Amino acid sequence: MNNVESQLQLQDANLSPPPRTLPRRSFLRRMGLGAVAFAPGAGLLSSASKAFGDDPGITTGDAALLRFAAAAEILETDFWVQYNELGGIPDSEVPGGSGNPAYTKALKVLDGDMDQYIHDNTEDEFTHFHFLNAYLISKGAQPVNLDKFRTLPGSTATGSSGKPRLTNLMQLTLDTSWWTRYRSREKNPDLNPNFVFPQAIPSLNTGEHTAIPRTDNDTNHTKFLQAIANTAAFHFPTIEQGGNSLYPSMAQRATSVEVLRILISIGPTETMHFQTWQDKAGNAPQLTAVDPVTGVSVTFPDLNSPPFGGETFQTNLIMPEPCPFISPTLPKCSIIRPTNTNGIATGVVKFLTDMGLFRGQSQMFFSVLSQLAAEADAAQREN
């Protein structure tokens, strides 16, 4: 085990940012070449790794951007692991769980390769947060660890590892307006912030819905189990379109060319995920089902037929339609949207919270996540 790996085991949620620039040698002097206890709520961080030589550190702002990205990737990994345990391919690359045949079969109604795609998406998120934390350590900056917040109960259905979770996939309220936002040729949220894009699946935007079987009893209701798989199919792109916007938005605040390179290199993989998943969501079979536990109803309509239909809802329009960009006087352009950088991290936290992904989490969890977001939003590009 190298120094970076050992420090990744010691890291904890950061509440105290480092000085504006933090060269490694200065960091080691201040740390006394040993481990230091930080403020209440923070953990222990040993001396910075020399695995990457004596490169200078990074600015406070760049470290804050990467820490928020790492936190987001840790949260993504947590729920993708839950999906992989039940509907993906548990193996040495993505360990945990043993698979749920009934749930996997329902997912495969949307695409025969869903289990492989879930596996690969999960592995991607693992690599993202491991890299980001290792890079932060190599620059003498604090990494992020949210392990102490793994307190939420997960699924008890066959295939689940039963481990405590960071995220809750069983009480989701999904905003599916991204579907129409990416098909609109006239509106861009960066230029039209008050425009309300229609929901693709209105019933998912009300009430609480599970995207995984909560118990084996959920797998005994064939129609409802398909509704669970359909919900997951729309949750996948709902999450990934957030990362799709987060990385280019934060990249505009980066000072270091290397940090910029990291952000614009990871960001496009989130776009690949998003395009893959919105294609699969378009295959969700039409149905209406009622949750036998909560009584909440969900309807997945034919998005290609009235009262839906047209380019606004067309299922095979999985590439961004051209829309206004920078100024309405300029030609329309096919782009990622939104990419306005102001308040992007805080907006992501609100988006995930409103979704119900953190239902049951502690106030300390929300405080840590909000501070990481505020520090990222405060980052400024320096000369």
PDB file of all heavy atoms in Angstrom, residues 280-304:
ATOM      1  N   LYS A 280     -32.038   4.620 -22.839  1.00  0.00           N
ATOM      2  CA  LYS A 280     -32.706   3.473 -22.218  1.00  0.00           C
ATOM      3  C   LYS A 280     -34.030   3.879 -21.578  1.00  0.00           C
ATOM      4  O   LYS A 280     -35.011   3.121 -21.615  1.00  0.00           O
ATOM      5  CB  LYS A 280     -31.803   2.802 -21.173  1.00  0.00           C
ATOM      6  CG  LYS A 280     -30.422   2.415 -21.696  1.00  0.00           C
ATOM      7  CD  LYS A 280     -30.473   1.753 -23.057  1.00  0.00           C
ATOM      8  CE  LYS A 280     -29.090   1.653 -23.680  1.00  0.00           C
ATOM      9  NZ  LYS A 280     -29.150   1.302 -25.124  1.00  0.00           N
ATOM     10  N   ALA A 281     -34.073   5.072 -20.982  1.00  0.00           N
ATOM     11  CA  ALA A 281     -35.314   5.543 -20.370  1.00  0.00           C
ATOM     12  C   ALA A 281     -36.430   5.629 -21.400  1.00  0.00           C
ATOM     13  O   ALA A 281     -37.602   5.354 -21.095  1.00  0.00           O
ATOM     14  CB  ALA A 281     -35.100   6.901 -19.703  1.00  0.00           C
ATOM     15  N   GLY A 282     -36.066   5.974 -22.626  1.00  0.00           N
ATOM     16  CA  GLY A 282     -37.061   6.059 -23.686  1.00  0.00           C
ATOM     17  C   GLY A 282     -37.687   4.726 -24.041  1.00  0.00           C
ATOM     18  O   GLY A 282     -38.719   4.680 -24.720  1.00  0.00           O
ATOM     19  N   ASN A 283     -37.088   3.632 -23.575  1.00  0.00           N
ATOM     20  CA  ASN A 283     -37.620   2.293 -23.839  1.00  0.00           C
ATOM     21  C   ASN A 283     -38.538   1.794 -22.734  1.00  0.00           C
ATOM     22  O   ASN A 283     -39.028   0.658 -22.805  1.00  0.00           O
ATOM     23  CB  ASN A 283     -36.468   1.296 -24.002  1.00  0.00           C
ATOM     24  CG  ASN A 283     -35.588   1.612 -25.200  1.00  0.00           C
ATOM     25  OD1 ASN A 283     -36.048   2.206 -26.165  1.00  0.00           O
ATOM     26  ND2 ASN A 283     -34.327   1.214 -25.135  1.00  0.00           N
ATOM     27  N   ALA A 284     -38.768   2.616 -21.707  1.00  0.00           N
ATOM     28  CA  ALA A 284     -39.599   2.168 -20.585  1.00  0.00           C
ATOM     29  C   ALA A 284     -41.004   1.813 -21.073  1.00  0.00           C
ATOM     30  O   ALA A 284     -41.668   2.626 -21.719  1.00  0.00           O
ATOM     31  CB  ALA A 284     -39.679   3.264 -19.528  1.00  0.00           C
ATOM     32  N   PRO A 285     -41.469   0.593 -20.807  1.00  0.00           N
ATOM     33  CA  PRO A 285     -42.800   0.196 -21.273  1.00  0.00           C
ATOM     34  C   PRO A 285     -43.907   1.007 -20.598  1.00  0.00           C
ATOM     35  O   PRO A 285     -43.788   1.385 -19.429  1.00  0.00           O
ATOM     36  CB  PRO A 285     -42.879  -1.283 -20.892  1.00  0.00           C
ATOM     37  CG  PRO A 285     -41.881  -1.456 -19.808  1.00  0.00           C
ATOM     38  CD  PRO A 285     -40.784  -0.486 -20.087  1.00  0.00           C
ATOM     39  N   GLN A 286     -44.973   1.288 -21.364  1.00  0.00           N
ATOM     40  CA  GLN A 286     -46.110   2.029 -20.828  1.00  0.00           C
ATOM     41  C   GLN A 286     -46.807   1.183 -19.760  1.00  0.00           C
ATOM     42  O   GLN A 286     -47.061   0.000 -19.972  1.00  0.00           O
ATOM     43  CB  GLN A 286     -47.101   2.343 -21.937  1.00  0.00           C
ATOM     44  CG  GLN A 286     -46.518   3.110 -23.107  1.00  0.00           C
ATOM     45  CD  GLN A 286     -47.466   3.094 -24.291  1.00  0.00           C
ATOM     46  OE1 GLN A 286     -48.636   3.446 -24.171  1.00  0.00           O
ATOM     47  NE2 GLN A 286     -46.953   2.669 -25.451  1.00  0.00           N
ATOM     48  N   LEU A 287     -47.110   1.810 -18.650  1.00  0.00           N
ATOM     49  CA  LEU A 287     -47.864   1.116 -17.606  1.00  0.00           C
ATOM     50  C   LEU A 287     -48.270   2.096 -16.521  1.00  0.00           C
ATOM     51  O   LEU A 287     -47.715   3.175 -16.384  1.00  0.00           O
ATOM     52  CB  LEU A 287     -47.054  -0.035 -17.001  1.00  0.00           C
ATOM     53  CG  LEU A 287     -45.724   0.281 -16.284  1.00  0.00           C
ATOM     54  CD1 LEU A 287     -45.945   0.693 -14.825  1.00  0.00           C
ATOM     55  CD2 LEU A 287     -44.812  -0.940 -16.304  1.00  0.00           C
ATOM     56  N   THR A 288     -49.255   1.699 -15.758  1.00  0.00           N
ATOM     57  CA  THR A 288     -49.642   2.372 -14.523  1.00  0.00           C
ATOM     58  C   THR A 288     -49.626   1.322 -13.428  1.00  0.00           C
ATOM     59  O   THR A 288     -50.178   0.231 -13.594  1.00  0.00           O
ATOM     60  CB  THR A 288     -51.031   3.006 -14.619  1.00  0.00           C
ATOM     61  OG1 THR A 288     -51.012   4.037 -15.612  1.00  0.00           O
ATOM     62  CG2 THR A 288     -51.441   3.618 -13.289  1.00  0.00           C
ATOM     63  N   ALA A 289     -48.978   1.630 -12.327  1.00  0.00           N
ATOM     64  CA  ALA A 289     -48.881   0.680 -11.222  1.00  0.00           C
ATOM     65  C   ALA A 289     -49.031   1.422  -9.907  1.00  0.00           C
ATOM     66  O   ALA A 289     -48.708   2.615  -9.809  1.00  0.00           O
ATOM     67  CB  ALA A 289     -47.547  -0.065 -11.258  1.00  0.00           C
ATOM     68  N   VAL A 290     -49.512   0.721  -8.910  1.00  0.00           N
ATOM     69  CA  VAL A 290     -49.697   1.285  -7.578  1.00  0.00           C
ATOM     70  C   VAL A 290     -48.780   0.562  -6.604  1.00  0.00           C
ATOM     71  O   VAL A 290     -48.716  -0.675  -6.589  1.00  0.00           O
ATOM     72  CB  VAL A 290     -51.165   1.151  -7.117  1.00  0.00           C
ATOM     73  CG1 VAL A 290     -51.323   1.672  -5.687  1.00  0.00           C
ATOM     74  CG2 VAL A 290     -52.088   1.904  -8.066  1.00  0.00           C
ATOM     75  N   ASP A 291     -48.049   1.341  -5.813  1.00  0.00           N
ATOM     76  CA  ASP A 291     -47.165   0.772  -4.800  1.00  0.00           C
ATOM     77  C   ASP A 291     -48.021   0.058  -3.754  1.00  0.00           C
ATOM     78  O   ASP A 291     -48.854   0.692  -3.096  1.00  0.00           O
ATOM     79  CB  ASP A 291     -46.354   1.896  -4.148  1.00  0.00           C
ATOM     80  CG  ASP A 291     -45.267   1.393  -3.213  1.00  0.00           C
ATOM     81  OD1 ASP A 291     -45.477   0.354  -2.558  1.00  0.00           O
ATOM     82  OD2 ASP A 291     -44.211   2.055  -3.131  1.00  0.00           O
ATOM     83  N   PRO A 292     -47.840  -1.259  -3.590  1.00  0.00           N
ATOM     84  CA  PRO A 292     -48.668  -1.995  -2.633  1.00  0.00           C
ATOM     85  C   PRO A 292     -48.418  -1.600  -1.183  1.00  0.00           C
ATOM     86  O   PRO A 292     -49.238  -1.894  -0.305  1.00  0.00           O
ATOM     87  CB  PRO A 292     -48.278  -3.453  -2.883  1.00  0.00           C
ATOM     88  CG  PRO A 292     -46.904  -3.390  -3.456  1.00  0.00           C
ATOM     89  CD  PRO A 292     -46.874  -2.135  -4.271  1.00  0.00           C
ATOM     90  N   VAL A 293     -47.309  -0.913  -0.915  1.00  0.00           N
ATOM     91  CA  VAL A 293     -46.979  -0.506   0.458  1.00  0.00           C
ATOM     92  C   VAL A 293     -47.485   0.901   0.751  1.00  0.00           C
ATOM     93  O   VAL A 293     -48.133   1.145   1.772  1.00  0.00           O
ATOM     94  CB  VAL A 293     -45.458  -0.592   0.700  1.00  0.00           C
ATOM     95  CG1 VAL A 293     -45.100  -0.057   2.095  1.00  0.00           C
ATOM     96  CG2 VAL A 293     -44.968  -2.021   0.539  1.00  0.00           C
ATOM     97  N   THR A 294     -47.197   1.857  -0.155  1.00  0.00           N
ATOM     98  CA  THR A 294     -47.532   3.269   0.100  1.00  0.00           C
ATOM     99  C   THR A 294     -48.832   3.703  -0.557  1.00  0.00           C
ATOM    100  O   THR A 294     -49.386   4.744  -0.184  1.00  0.00           O
ATOM    101  CB  THR A 294     -46.408   4.183  -0.398  1.00  0.00           C
ATOM    102  OG1 THR A 294     -46.326   4.098  -1.841  1.00  0.00           O
ATOM    103  CG2 THR A 294     -45.072   3.778   0.199  1.00  0.00           C
ATOM    104  N   GLY A 295     -49.296   2.965  -1.552  1.00  0.00           N
ATOM    105  CA  GLY A 295     -50.495   3.361  -2.275  1.00  0.00           C
ATOM    106  C   GLY A 295     -50.254   4.429  -3.316  1.00  0.00           C
ATOM    107  O   GLY A 295     -51.202   4.898  -3.966  1.00  0.00           O
ATOM    108  N   VAL A 296     -49.005   4.838  -3.524  1.00  0.00           N
ATOM    109  CA  VAL A 296     -48.666   5.863  -4.511  1.00  0.00           C
ATOM    110  C   VAL A 296     -48.708   5.257  -5.912  1.00  0.00           C
ATOM    111  O   VAL A 296     -48.175   4.171  -6.152  1.00  0.00           O
ATOM    112  CB  VAL A 296     -47.274   6.455  -4.231  1.00  0.00           C
ATOM    113  CG1 VAL A 296     -46.843   7.400  -5.357  1.00  0.00           C
ATOM    114  CG2 VAL A 296     -47.281   7.199  -2.903  1.00  0.00           C
ATOM    115  N   SER A 297     -49.343   5.977  -6.834  1.00  0.00           N
ATOM    116  CA  SER A 297     -49.466   5.505  -8.218  1.00  0.00           C
ATOM    117  C   SER A 297     -48.426   6.167  -9.108  1.00  0.00           C
ATOM    118  O   SER A 297     -48.037   7.321  -8.879  1.00  0.00           O
ATOM    119  CB  SER A 297     -50.871   5.818  -8.743  1.00  0.00           C
ATOM    120  OG  SER A 297     -51.000   5.432 -10.104  1.00  0.00           O
ATOM    121  N   VAL A 298     -47.972   5.442 -10.119  1.00  0.00           N
ATOM    122  CA  VAL A 298     -47.034   5.993 -11.092  1.00  0.00           C
ATOM    123  C   VAL A 298     -47.471   5.551 -12.479  1.00  0.00           C
ATOM    124  O   VAL A 298     -47.923   4.417 -12.665  1.00  0.00           O
ATOM    125  CB  VAL A 298     -45.585   5.534 -10.798  1.00  0.00           C
ATOM    126  CG1 VAL A 298     -45.442   4.024 -10.903  1.00  0.00           C
ATOM    127  CG2 VAL A 298     -44.600   6.233 -11.735  1.00  0.00           C
ATOM    128  N   THR A 299     -47.372   6.473 -13.430  1.00  0.00           N
ATOM    129  CA  THR A 299     -47.753   6.180 -14.811  1.00  0.00           C
ATOM    130  C   THR A 299     -46.605   6.515 -15.745  1.00  0.00           C
ATOM    131  O   THR A 299     -46.040   7.617 -15.691  1.00  0.00           O
ATOM    132  CB  THR A 299     -48.989   7.003 -15.231  1.00  0.00           C
ATOM    133  OG1 THR A 299     -50.103   6.610 -14.419  1.00  0.00           O
ATOM    134  CG2 THR A 299     -49.333   6.763 -16.693  1.00  0.00           C
ATOM    135  N   PHE A 300     -46.245   5.562 -16.578  1.00  0.00           N
ATOM    136  CA  PHE A 300     -45.249   5.775 -17.624  1.00  0.00           C
ATOM    137  C   PHE A 300     -45.994   5.796 -18.956  1.00  0.00           C
ATOM    138  O   PHE A 300     -46.435   4.758 -19.447  1.00  0.00           O
ATOM    139  CB  PHE A 300     -44.192   4.675 -17.591  1.00  0.00           C
ATOM    140  CG  PHE A 300     -43.362   4.690 -16.346  1.00  0.00           C
ATOM    141  CD1 PHE A 300     -43.758   3.976 -15.219  1.00  0.00           C
ATOM    142  CD2 PHE A 300     -42.208   5.454 -16.283  1.00  0.00           C
ATOM    143  CE1 PHE A 300     -43.022   4.016 -14.051  1.00  0.00           C
ATOM    144  CE2 PHE A 300     -41.456   5.502 -15.119  1.00  0.00           C
ATOM    145  CZ  PHE A 300     -41.868   4.782 -14.001  1.00  0.00           C
ATOM    146  N   PRO A 301     -46.157   6.992 -19.558  1.00  0.00           N
ATOM    147  CA  PRO A 301     -46.963   7.119 -20.781  1.00  0.00           C
ATOM    148  C   PRO A 301     -46.157   6.815 -22.029  1.00  0.00           C
ATOM    149  O   PRO A 301     -44.940   6.630 -21.977  1.00  0.00           O
ATOM    150  CB  PRO A 301     -47.367   8.598 -20.747  1.00  0.00           C
ATOM    151  CG  PRO A 301     -46.184   9.273 -20.102  1.00  0.00           C
ATOM    152  CD  PRO A 301     -45.664   8.285 -19.076  1.00  0.00           C
ATOM    153  N   ASP A 302     -46.848   6.788 -23.161  1.00  0.00           N
ATOM    154  CA  ASP A 302     -46.192   6.724 -24.464  1.00  0.00           C
ATOM    155  C   ASP A 302     -45.783   8.146 -24.811  1.00  0.00           C
ATOM    156  O   ASP A 302     -46.610   8.983 -25.166  1.00  0.00           O
ATOM    157  CB  ASP A 302     -47.150   6.165 -25.521  1.00  0.00           C
ATOM    158  CG  ASP A 302     -46.512   6.099 -26.895  1.00  0.00           C
ATOM    159  OD1 ASP A 302     -45.345   6.530 -27.053  1.00  0.00           O
ATOM    160  OD2 ASP A 302     -47.190   5.632 -27.835  1.00  0.00           O
ATOM    161  N   LEU A 303     -44.512   8.444 -24.681  1.00  0.00           N
ATOM    162  CA  LEU A 303     -44.026   9.812 -24.876  1.00  0.00           C
ATOM    163  C   LEU A 303     -44.063  10.248 -26.333  1.00  0.00           C
ATOM    164  O   LEU A 303     -43.860  11.430 -26.634  1.00  0.00           O
ATOM    165  CB  LEU A 303     -42.608   9.943 -24.321  1.00  0.00           C
ATOM    166  CG  LEU A 303     -42.488   9.811 -22.803  1.00  0.00           C
ATOM    167  CD1 LEU A 303     -41.028   9.782 -22.382  1.00  0.00           C
ATOM    168  CD2 LEU A 303     -43.218  10.948 -22.102  1.00  0.00           C
ATOM    169  N   ASN A 304     -44.314   9.321 -27.254  1.00  0.00           N
ATOM    170  CA  ASN A 304     -44.356   9.662 -28.674  1.00  0.00           C
ATOM    171  C   ASN A 304     -45.780   9.911 -29.176  1.00  0.00           C
ATOM    172  O   ASN A 304     -45.973  10.176 -30.366  1.00  0.00           O
ATOM    173  CB  ASN A 304     -43.708   8.550 -29.498  1.00  0.00           C
ATOM    174  CG  ASN A 304     -42.228   8.402 -29.193  1.00  0.00           C
ATOM    175  OD1 ASN A 304     -41.469   9.357 -29.297  1.00  0.00           O
ATOM    176  ND2 ASN A 304     -41.811   7.212 -28.792  1.00  0.00           N
TER     177      ASN A 304
END
